[in-house]
């Protein structure tokens, strides 16, 4: 059954929804439509990871990018190389302000530690291997453990060379599994980035907004050892030679033109049931937003502006705030859309279709019913799950628990350990224990814990934890004064604040923990079994989902095939292709977003104050109408950013926007406000991706920064 | 010379700027262009105040309106009848929430006290009479006084009947004066207003914004005595019969259609010099904005939210805030426009044109020079003038000064008194003295005065007041503690807080004031001569402006005639005609405002929370696509608001937007954000007026409110 959906790709030629994050191997089946839309290269090429253009596309882990020369030159978003600019900046030499350009290859500087370029080499269907040993009668927990063990084994085998990073990714919610093998290039250097006042123009204010005028691009170069294999940084390393690279178009695109984006979208939820959608938008997002706003207030109240404590929580605050806003936007978009109505309609359509045929009823009805029942079970505990998920914001107690868990896991053979506690995870684990020193303040942490325990104490009886109730002396009522005193005492007696002490626990045994008199360690030990029991119950539920959701997805795919609707898998960080057109939208009644913005828009927007502080040289060039060969005739000036119907999400940042010849015409870097809800619901009329135009990149390189060496290195076409 | 500009109306047919607020008598000269644009009625009619359509157009004093039936039915904006809805509302019968509809004529209810309908009957050129006695050698102060005396005499004669309100209005900054005679109808009743959730939909958030979805309309009826003459309210009064009225179009307009607006724009500054423009936008608006924000902070800090004091300052705060925002927007618009460059260009063009001809040089060069010098003189004292202009925000001291001034003025014959202190002003004067009781709080007033004195003390030596310095013991430095103590004491010893005591001063003599021991009265008396000396100096300056600015305007008009540019006078509250088209705009790079919004936009915008809380009945009707006959085919639904290029300003609210047959197709009620600067600079590309569409009004009347009686009374055409 799990092969069914290939057939679903027989598309109605009358309309191709621009919705869809296609796996490379699906592209040939879309070929007639792709040709009709104007694709000028053989769609067959799009399925071959080792050919142009696919092997020019790389991942930075979280961002997408592409090779734009034979010498490992990588083009991606400014915000994707931002960490490396920051890392190389100092008060005396502030690259964030000035930008950076290596005029010669030996001037290139190391990117931030941990920067990687991943080249996807193989994507292999390993569904059978992943599900090996699983039968219809396998229990939830056993199914979960079997799949996990199989995945680990596949990954371990794949990573044996030491030069690859591998993953077993679930597609269609477990209907298929693919082993994805990526070459991991570890010596990455910063080559060029425009000034932040170009690369991040508009900043957070313009985030998710149109009109947009951001020069969101920058360059890395991938280096390998003299043997051509990935290596740590060394002066002797040489540029990586990819099989192919993208040419950069100086001609660019026009309204209505075919565009294609190939990159690594992170995660979407396009196939959730109506009950899940409703719960997410009417319960989870509003509640989680409140949680975040409460935490923000607590951090604000317990750390003076500008204090060391406030600085420590800067990135926590930014993240709390980002998602609080994101959730708010999600709710607003939901309330102003007919998303839930459409989802319910689709769902009744599916139900009727299943019910109208005896075979189908036998095949799919139980899966639909069982999935609904699992969702109900899951939602019944939503308050507890929400509170638990935020418990990690109390850094010190959760650190104790993670450290003890590590000691426990280390007793097992590596392959049997919980993911995150395996040998391959230990470097990152240690780094996260070090990072606490820069992101923690005792007063703030205690206030957060106090708040979380108050929220915890509001949970119904059956969701209460005996360990928590006992340690913090919480009964049917919470005595916040007493709780705060216990927090006070336990923090005072704990040595986990201290980085050396904390790191020492990384190497200690279970017995060391059990005999410790650190109260937070003690609590981690005494509450461990309870946590494991909860985790087990959770894995049992997940195992049940792993059984029934794929069957449900099979029904969805089969149903869509019956309606000639193609089905793509939810984004999962793997390589995907999206097809669309350059096109504006109507974001609101009475308002039209035009597809292009222009240089002159920068003049109109500039206030001289960050983030609207374009370099004065740039303003002068624009006033002098110094367009060079980069003007779009129909616009009469140089285009800066453009809108397209490409279907993208987080992770697509830096994705090459390509024309019909697979030449690079832009870089995807954001979506419009109406796209925020796009992870759940792609509305063709409203959803739009924003790219920085290749003509603007070339204009900045030529006229602003004189990056002639790179202009010469790249292949620029008209 | 002052007749010159009639000739300037010979327009280049190649382009008619939509800029222009034309006097009715100018319209025939525009006739060929008007016909070309599509006007289907005789332009001659537009100059006759007693014919259709002009005599259907009325003023409400601050708002515009029009008769839409033979029975004195008046259509204007919801925000223009808002005070009357409020006046008739009670907690039990909240017309603001529910709206109001008199299903029969005897259910109509009195409008708020002071509501008037003014019908312009005559506009007579009285330039000669206004300037009678003025010669080239008349001094500034004598010129000022002569003009004032002549104006008063003309007004007194015109108002002799007792049924008219007259004014002598300056056109082209004193180049011409017109006596405007308006019938003053005093019995006005509220007939119909939709719920505020329709009439003020979008509220302050959507103010000056597009897209817009406001049902900003409402109906009054004008009543007169049984003899057909204006009368105070009486049960026996009968509806006023106008000579004509506007038909209401159910067909409405389409993008690109001819539209015309006839109403009463309040005030514009389209002919200021570059020096005046620059001073206004780079000095006055920023400084005045800061003044207002400081005052807002002081009121906020000295009155607890929800307190009696805060309530008393609600409308003061709203007004301070409105203009602080307005000034901010002015500055932003200015900074992002090339207004000052264009103005400077025009000015050098004018200078070159004058300089290139000996006769012109003799005729105009002195006026240009003298005007510039007067402006410099005026700007030199700008800090003082600004501080003085805000002094009235300290209510109690300024009340004492106004009361004493009244006593002084009353010693003179009525015709010689300062305007504002004449017999015709006394009712309003008394009302303003009563109103203080509802708008004053001692703590707040003292804090405001303290702030104003601090600002005053920063003025350079030559702009200081001996009276102020002496009373508040301010030397080269201000001792704020001592000043505050003096404020404290003088307020404590004053009885002006008390309404009865305050009103008693209205009838007291100069001697009564002089012998009073109320410190604020004492200060008013001792500082009076100094204030009068300043006023005299100011009038001398104004008299000088009255001499030179008309000559300068003559040059401007002559210059524009030489370039085939028509010239209209700045708005001054008199009846004007504006001509344009239904058209969207491009407010920003990458963004287009479409000309129409639609019913469905209300669904998209509605949050259920004020001001986006449309009645549920309305949302249901829209969801059911109950369009009736009011849909615009190209839009596929009922249009709600539309944009046009009409040139309007404050006072135009309620102006009938008419089609080429002079049928009512909408009501002007606002402008887009880009129009805020329009009082100074009309940018054809950006300036847009917003009208509520007649189809939406009729739709609301028919489907929401069942106002069948009014639909039958009006003449609705297709």
């Amino acid at each position: 059954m799990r092969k069914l959906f290939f057939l679903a790709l027989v598309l109605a030629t009358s309309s191709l929804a621009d919705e869809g994050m296609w796996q490379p191997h699906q592209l040939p089946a879309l070929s007639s439509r792709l040709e009709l839309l104007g694709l000028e290269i053989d769609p067959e090429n799009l399925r071959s990871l080792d050919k142009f253009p696919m092997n020019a596309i790389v991942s930075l882990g979280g961002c997408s990018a592409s090779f734009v020369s034979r010498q490992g030159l990588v083009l991606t978003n400014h915000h994707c190389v931002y960490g490396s600019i920051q890392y190389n900046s100092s008060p005396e030499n502030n690259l964030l302000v000035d930008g950076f350009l290596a005029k010669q290859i030996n001037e290139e500087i190391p990117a931030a530690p941990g920067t990687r370029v991943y080249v996807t080499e193989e994507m292999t269907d390993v569904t059978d291997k992943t599900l090996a040993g699983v039968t219809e009668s396998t229990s939830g927990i056993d199914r979960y453990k079997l799949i996990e063990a199989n995945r680990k084994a596949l990954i371990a085998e794949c990573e044996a060379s030491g030069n690859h990073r591998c993953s077993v990714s679930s597609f269609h919610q477990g209907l298929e599994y693919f082993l994805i093998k990526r070459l991991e290039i570890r010596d990455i250097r910063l080559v060029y980035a425009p000034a932040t006042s170009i690369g991040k123009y508009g900043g957070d204010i313009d985030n998710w907004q149109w009109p947009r005028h951001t020069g969101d691009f920058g360059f890395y170069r991938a280096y390998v050892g003299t043997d051509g294999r990935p290596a740590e940084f060394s002066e002797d390393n040489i540029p990586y030679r990819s099989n192919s690279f993208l040419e950069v178009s100086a001609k660019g695109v026009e309204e209505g033109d075919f565009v294609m984006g190939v990159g690594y979208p992170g995660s979407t939820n396009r196939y959730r049931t109506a009950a899940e959608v409703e719960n997410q938008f009417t319960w989870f997002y509003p509640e989680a937003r409140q949680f975040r706003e409460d935490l923000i207030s607590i951090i604000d109240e317990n750390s003076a502006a500008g204090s060391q404590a406030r600085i420590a929580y800067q990135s926590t605050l930014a993240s709390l705030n980002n998602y609080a806003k994101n959730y708010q936007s999600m709710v607003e978009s939901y309330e102003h859309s007919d998303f839930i109505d459409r989802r319910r309609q689709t769902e009744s359509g599916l139900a009727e279709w299943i019910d109208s045929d005896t075979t189908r009823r036998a095949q799919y009805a139980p899966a639909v019913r069982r999935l609904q029942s699992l969702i109900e079970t899951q939602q019944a505990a939503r308050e507890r799950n929400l509170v638990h998920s935020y418990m990690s914001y109390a850094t010190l107690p959760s650190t104790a628990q993670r450290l003890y868990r590590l000691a426990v896991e280390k007793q097992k053979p590596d392959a049997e350990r919980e993911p995150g506690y395996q040998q391959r995870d230990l470097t990152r684990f240690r780094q996260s224990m070090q990072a606490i020193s820069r992101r923690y303040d005792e007063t703030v942490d205690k206030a957060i814990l106090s708040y979380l325990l108050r929220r915890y104490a509001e949970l119904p009886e059956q969701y209460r934890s005996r360990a928590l109730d006992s340690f913090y002396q919480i009964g049917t009522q919470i005595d916040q004064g007493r709780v705060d005193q216990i927090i006070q005492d336990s923090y005072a007696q704990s040595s986990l604040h201290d980085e050396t002490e904390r790191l020492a626990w990384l190497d200690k045994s279970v017995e060391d923990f059990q005999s410790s008199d650190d109260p937070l360690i003690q609590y981690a030990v005494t509450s461990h079994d309870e946590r494991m029991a909860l985790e087990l119950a959770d894995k049992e539920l997940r195992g049940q989902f792993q059984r029934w959701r794929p069957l449900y997805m099979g029904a969805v795919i089969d149903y869509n095939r019956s309606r000639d609707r193609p089905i793509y898998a939810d984004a999962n960080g793997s390589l995907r292709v999206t097809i669309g057109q350059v096109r504006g939208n109507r974001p609101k009644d009475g308002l039209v977003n035009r597809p292009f913005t222009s240089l002159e828009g920068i003049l109109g927007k500039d206030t001289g104050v960050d983030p609207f502080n374009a370099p004065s040289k740039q303003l002068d060039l624009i006033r002098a109408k110094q367009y060079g060969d980069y003007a779009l005739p129909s616009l009469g000036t140089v285009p800066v950013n453009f809108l397209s119907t490409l279907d993208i999400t987080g992770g697509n940042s830096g994705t090459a926007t390509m024309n019909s010849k697979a030449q690079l015409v832009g870089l995807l870097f954001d979506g419009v406000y109406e796209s925020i809800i796009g992870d759940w619901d792609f509305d063709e009329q409203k959803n739009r991706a924003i790219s920085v135009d290749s003509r603007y990149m070339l204009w900045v390189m030529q006229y602003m920064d004189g990056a002639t060496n790179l202009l010469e290195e790249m292949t620029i076409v008209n």
Side-chain angles (χ1 to χ4, degrees), chain A:
Chain A
M1 188 200 69
R2 65 192 170 71
K3 297 290 177 198
L4 278 181
F5 69 97
F6 290 118
L7 302 173
L9 293 170
V10 181
L11 297 170
T13 45
S14 58
S15 86
L16 175 69
D18 293 318
E19 176 175 356
M21 299 174 174
W22 308 103
Q23 291 170 258
H25 69 73
Q26 294 182 296
L27 273 296
L30 290 161
S31 61
S32 60
R33 183 66 194 158
L34 289 173
E35 280 161 24
L36 197 68
L37 283 169
L39 181 68
E40 296 178 64
I41 61 168
D42 185 353
E44 261 312 313
N45 285 14
L46 296 175
R47 71 176 300 166
S48 310
L49 296 180
D50 57 346
K51 289 200 185 124
F52 170 84
M54 300 308 277
N55 83 326
I57 306 302
V58 297
S59 165
L60 305 179
C63 278
S64 302
S66 40
F67 289 120
V68 288
S69 87
R70 188 71 73 191
Q71 299 296 316
L73 189 65
V74 172
L75 176 55
T76 185
N77 286 151
H78 185 271
H79 76 262
C80 296
V81 305
Y82 193 84
S84 295
I85 311 173
Q86 206 164 27
Y87 174 76
N88 285 289
S89 288
S90 62
E92 303 77 44
N93 186 21
N94 195 333
L95 306 185
L96 287 171
V97 171
D98 307 325
F100 172 76
L101 172 64
K103 290 289 286 179
Q104 301 182 9
I105 200 159
N106 60 14
E107 291 173 10
E108 295 171 1
I109 51 180
T115 304
R116 298 285 183 267
V117 165
Y118 298 102
V119 187
T120 303
E121 293 186 343
E122 292 170 22
M123 294 180 74
T124 319
D125 186 338
V126 291
T127 314
D128 294 339
K129 290 179 183 172
T130 307
L131 296 177
V134 172
T135 68
E136 290 222 339
S137 60
T138 309
S139 74
I141 185 67
D142 289 344
R143 178 181 294 261
Y144 182 89
K145 287 182 171 169
L146 267 169
I147 292 175
E148 190 178 286
N150 292 336
R151 277 174 129 160
K152 282 181 193 160
L154 285 163
I155 290 169
E157 186 191 342
C158 176
E159 291 183 350
S161 79
N163 290 323
H164 292 87
R165 191 85 182 170
C166 301
S167 65
V168 173
S169 295
S170 150
F171 288 75
H172 300 291
Q173 323 215 25
L175 189 62
E176 294 205 318
Y177 291 92
F178 277 77
L179 177 68
I180 300 174
K181 184 175 185 177
R182 293 173 182 171
L183 186 71
E184 182 181 26
I185 307 180
R186 303 194 295 274
D187 181 359
I188 311 301
R189 304 188 195 167
L190 184 64
V191 176
Y192 164 55
T196 301
S197 54
I198 288 179
K200 210 184 164 184
Y201 192 76
D204 290 338
I205 297 173
D206 269 6
N207 199 11
W208 290 107
Q209 298 297 318
W210 186 261
R212 196 67 166 276
H213 300 84
T214 312
D216 201 346
F217 72 100
F219 289 83
Y220 277 146
R221 193 184 302 277
Y223 283 78
V224 289
T226 46
D227 60 356
R229 294 205 298 209
E232 294 302 318
F233 173 85
S234 159
E235 294 280 355
D236 301 332
N237 283 351
I238 55 170
Y240 171 78
R241 285 182 68 89
S242 59
N243 290 350
S244 67
F245 62 90
L246 301 185
E247 298 172 334
V248 176
S249 172
K251 183 162 166 273
V253 279
E254 172 56 288
E255 182 169 6
D257 278 2
F258 170 96
V259 281
M260 171 169 74
V262 189
Y264 293 86
S267 171
T268 56
N269 297 290
R270 298 265 175 86
Y271 301 99
R272 297 284 162 164
T273 70
E276 287 178 294
V277 167
E278 197 177 8
N279 180 67
Q280 188 76 14
F281 286 87
T282 67
W283 187 85
F284 176 79
Y285 283 140
E287 289 289 324
R289 182 183 141 250
Q290 191 56 57
F291 240 110
R292 285 172 178 269
E293 291 189 343
D294 289 348
L295 288 171
I296 289 167
S297 302
I298 288 164
I299 297 172
D300 277 348
E301 285 160 16
N302 288 280
S303 62
S307 67
Q308 197 57 41
R310 179 69 66 84
I311 291 164
Y313 282 84
Q314 214 67 299
S315 74
T316 305
L317 279 173
S319 155
L320 283 169
N321 202 25
N322 273 347
Y323 283 96
K325 277 190 192 163
N326 177 281
Y327 293 175
Q328 174 66 15
S329 308
M330 286 283 192
V331 171
E332 279 171 16
S333 298
Y334 180 81
E335 284 172 351
H336 287 108
S337 78
D338 56 351
F339 173 27
I340 189 65
D341 299 329
R342 279 185 283 106
R343 183 55 50 97
R344 286 209 187 100
Q345 264 169 21
T346 315
E347 214 160 274
S348 1
L350 174 67
E352 277 167 34
W353 177 80
I354 292 172
D355 205 47
S356 64
D357 178 285
T358 327
T359 320
R360 285 203 292 264
R361 205 155 50 226
Q363 192 180 4
Y364 295 132
V368 174
R369 211 166 42 239
R370 290 300 298 268
L371 180 63
Q372 280 168 347
S373 146
L374 287 172
I375 289 166
E376 280 165 27
T377 306
Q378 193 179 42
Q379 290 182 3
R382 62 189 188 182
E383 278 90 0
R384 181 195 61 193
N385 295 342
L386 184 71
V387 169
H388 279 221
S389 72
Y390 279 90
M391 275 291 173
S392 62
Y393 277 89
T395 303
L396 227 51
S398 67
T399 299
Q401 289 157 35
R402 288 180 62 208
L403 286 165
Y404 181 56
R405 178 74 181 267
L406 180 64
V408 172
E409 294 293 333
K410 276 161 96 179
Q411 295 177 317
K412 307 176 195 168
D414 192 57
E416 289 173 25
R417 294 187 201 161
E418 182 71 8
Y421 297 92
Q422 290 183 280
Q423 203 55 45
R424 70 199 278 269
D425 304 310
L426 291 190
T427 307
R428 280 189 206 162
F429 195 103
R430 170 175 287 272
Q431 284 164 352
S432 76
M433 287 295 138
Q434 289 167 327
I436 290 168
S437 308
R438 298 192 312 275
R439 300 175 162 225
Y440 167 86
D441 174 79
E442 186 177 336
T443 308
V444 174
D445 208 48
K446 287 190 289 196
I448 289 174
L449 179 58
S450 171
Y451 164 77
L452 292 170
L453 289 172
R454 183 164 64 71
R455 293 296 304 264
Y456 158 78
E458 291 163 5
L459 289 176
E461 192 65 28
Q462 77 262 38
Y463 295 124
R464 297 280 283 274
S465 144
R466 277 194 221 155
L468 269 178
D469 284 351
S470 150
F471 189 81
Y472 292 102
Q473 301 180 31
I474 304 172
T476 40
Q477 297 278 316
I478 184 170
D479 178 341
Q480 199 77 39
R482 190 192 299 169
V483 166
D484 288 348
Q485 190 56 54
I486 297 168
I487 294 173
Q488 194 69 35
D489 297 344
S490 58
Y491 273 65
Q493 292 162 43
S494 176
S495 61
L496 289 170
H497 315 269
D498 184 77
E499 184 171 322
T500 317
E501 296 271 356
R502 196 164 58 237
L503 294 177
W505 285 105
L506 285 169
D507 304 312
K508 291 197 182 160
S509 69
V510 167
E511 293 69 30
D512 294 334
F513 279 83
Q514 286 169 348
S515 61
S516 163
D517 55 4
D518 183 315
L520 295 177
I521 297 284
Q522 277 178 353
Y523 174 73
V525 172
T526 56
S527 60
H528 183 74
D529 288 349
E530 192 185 73
R531 268 199 310 286
M532 289 307 100
L534 269 179
E535 188 174 298
L536 205 67
D538 181 57
K539 285 178 177 172
E540 167 65 29
L541 189 61
R542 290 210 243 170
Q544 301 266 1
F545 271 113
Q546 284 173 325
R547 173 164 186 200
W548 296 107
R549 220 192 269 273
L551 290 174
Y552 172 80
M553 276 309 295
V556 168
I557 289 165
D558 210 359
Y559 170 58
N560 277 281
R561 185 183 56 161
S562 78
R563 302 190 301 156
D564 277 340
R565 298 269 176 92
I567 285 291
Y568 56 92
D570 265 319
N572 57 2
S574 68
L575 188 60
R576 301 295 181 94
V577 181
T578 158
I579 309 288
Q581 284 183 308
V582 177
R583 210 190 310 158
N585 72 347
R586 301 203 165 195
K588 288 177 187 171
D589 181 43
L591 210 61
V592 171
N593 284 330
R594 294 287 308 144
F596 290 96
T597 57
S598 69
L599 285 186
E600 279 67 18
I602 297 173
L603 292 185
K605 213 177 225 181
D606 212 74
T607 59
V609 179
D610 177 50
F612 299 105
N613 55 340
S616 56
K617 179 179 173 188
Q618 182 175 26
L619 299 177
D620 290 343
L621 285 168
I622 299 172
R623 285 195 197 98
K625 298 190 187 301
Q626 175 60 277
Y627 301 150
D629 297 327
Y630 304 122
L632 168 59
S634 66
L635 198 66
T637 174
V638 179
V640 174
N641 291 165
F642 64 86
L643 295 176
S644 70
T645 57
L646 293 176
D647 185 4
I648 62 167
T649 185
N652 268 118
S653 283
T655 293
T657 314
M658 294 183 268
N659 63 13
S660 55
K661 296 188 177 78
Q663 295 161 338
L664 187 144
V665 292
L667 287 182
L668 288 158
F669 71 95
D670 202 9
V672 296
Y673 184 83
E674 295 72 31
S675 298
I676 291 179
I677 201 175
D679 286 354
W680 292 80
D681 178 47
F682 186 93
D683 180 337
E684 280 178 66
Q685 298 304 315
K686 298 197 162 177
N687 209 305
R688 291 294 180 272
I690 308 178
S691 296
V692 53
D693 195 294
S694 58
R695 286 160 290 201
Y696 182 58
M697 293 192 259
L698 296 171
W699 184 88
V700 170
M701 293 175 77
Q702 178 168 345
Y703 294 106
M704 285 298 300
D705 295 331
T708 42
N709 52 325
L710 299 180
L711 292 170
E712 279 163 22
E713 180 179 344
M714 298 190 294
T715 304
I716 296 165
V717 291
N718 256 294

